[in-house]
Amino acid sequence: MIVANRKTLEEILNMLKPYKKVLLLGCNECVTVCATGGEREVGVLASEIRLSRSKDAQEIEIREQTLERQCDHEYIDQIRPFVGEYEVILSVACGAGIQYVAEKYRNKVVLPGVNTTFLGVTLEQGVWSERCQGCGECVLHLTGGICPIARCAKSLLNGPCGGSSNGKCEVDKDLECAWQLIIDRLKELDQMDKYEEIIPIKDWRTSRDGGPRKRVREDLKL
Ligand code: SF4
Ligand code: SF4
């Protein structure tokens, strides 16, 4: 899932300063799971904004709306009947959702209520951890199912770097060395032969270096 953190109330209030009619838009997917931008968080944020504005004797009207997804036009279209009543949209979806809303309503200012951070997993309630950087050419079959790009602080494809100590990363002593994890896992799987293989220099064009990526499935197109 995509993990995001809500911006501080101060940042949000600053962005909203010129506006009195706000459509606050949540999303029922990843940002709900990471408790950042779902229906509940939309309600909490709306209350915080109202309270702060009323303390400053400044009026504000906020409509709370949470869509199934903000990254699909069929759901974004649901706000079309009333979006015109609002000066601004404050979206608490991930960066993709925020941008897609902005693309669909080009005459509206769309503000980000969250900082989108990473693709990760839920370790336990309230704790999420990065697992993938969407490099576009997965090497997990070579690394015991542990991503060296997302989990090694230096994104080394062949490691460790020599700085790890007692299984911890030299960049952060609280961080497990990804390459130690990979070696341990390959040993468990009896696949240390894979560790002997040098992973070649990566073609980063499948990642960010090739510009924005697009995927087309001709078989699914209408
Ligand atoms: S190798 Fe690439 S696609 Fe696979 S988990 Fe790591 S970043 Fe994600
Ligand atoms: S210590 Fe391990 S995780 Fe940290 S940078 Fe070196 S190889 Fe990567």
Side-chain angles (χ1 to χ4, degrees):
M1 84 175 138
I2 298 169
V3 180
N5 301 319
R6 205 193 84 182
K7 286 184 180 287
T8 63
L9 183 61
E10 192 186 357
E11 285 176 289
I12 292 172
L13 289 171
N14 267 334
M15 286 190 290
L16 288 178
K17 246 180 202 157
Y19 306 108
K20 290 183 179 155
K21 294 189 88 172
V22 179
L23 175 57
L24 175 50
L25 213 51
C27 177
N28 267 335
E29 294 286 344
C30 306
V31 287
T32 293
V33 180
C34 66
T36 304
E39 196 172 352
R40 192 174 67 92
E41 292 76 29
V42 163
V44 171
L45 177 56
S47 302
E48 287 177 328
I49 297 169
R50 285 188 195 107
L51 193 64
S52 173
R53 280 286 184 101
S54 73
K55 269 189 198 157
D56 297 338
Q58 291 174 342
E59 60 179 285
I60 191 159
E61 179 189 332
I62 303 175
R63 175 170 178 150
E64 301 169 29
Q65 193 79 32
T66 299
L67 302 179
E68 202 51 39
R69 284 196 288 281
Q70 285 189 36
C71 52
D72 257 324
H73 58 84
E74 62 183 289
Y75 299 111
I76 297 175
D77 277 349
Q78 292 172 353
I79 64 172
R80 198 167 295 282
F82 52 84
V83 69
E85 297 167 30
Y86 298 91
E87 297 170 290
V88 67
I89 300 172
L90 172 63
S91 169
V92 285
C94 73
I98 298 168
Q99 287 182 69
Y100 210 22
V101 170
E103 273 175 57
K104 294 294 171 193
Y105 300 101
R106 300 185 69 85
N107 62 347
K108 278 284 155 220
V109 173
V110 181
L111 304 173
V114 306
N115 298 316
T116 302
T117 49
F118 54 77
L119 296 181
V121 297
T122 307
L123 292 181
E124 59 185 90
Q125 192 169 336
V127 183
W128 294 274
S129 175
E130 184 165 19
R131 288 291 182 273
C132 175
Q133 289 191 356
C135 76
E137 195 182 23
C138 196
V139 297
L140 288 175
H141 58 298
L142 301 173
T143 57
I146 294 161
C147 175
I149 297 165
R151 298 180 68 182
C152 167
K154 296 172 189 167
S155 294
L156 296 179
L157 286 173
N158 298 281
C161 64
S164 67
S165 171
N166 298 321
K168 300 293 183 190
C169 173
E170 69 168 345
V171 170
D172 179 348
K173 296 295 175 211
D174 293 327
L175 201 65
E176 291 192 282
C177 168
W179 272 99
Q180 185 66 59
L181 294 175
I182 290 169
I183 291 165
D184 292 347
R185 181 86 173 118
L186 288 175
K187 279 183 184 163
E188 278 169 26
L189 296 171
D190 199 20
Q191 288 187 343
M192 277 301 280
D193 53 311
K194 290 197 191 299
Y195 183 61
E196 303 301 323
E197 286 178 40
I198 302 294
I199 300 180
I201 293 170
K202 199 166 171 54
D203 180 354
W204 290 101
R205 284 175 303 179
T206 61
S207 184
R208 285 297 313 132
D209 292 2
R213 292 165 285 178
K214 191 173 181 179
R215 177 172 176 249
V216 180
R217 280 271 308 268
E218 292 296 343
D219 56 319
L220 295 177
K221 283 172 75 176
L222 291 175

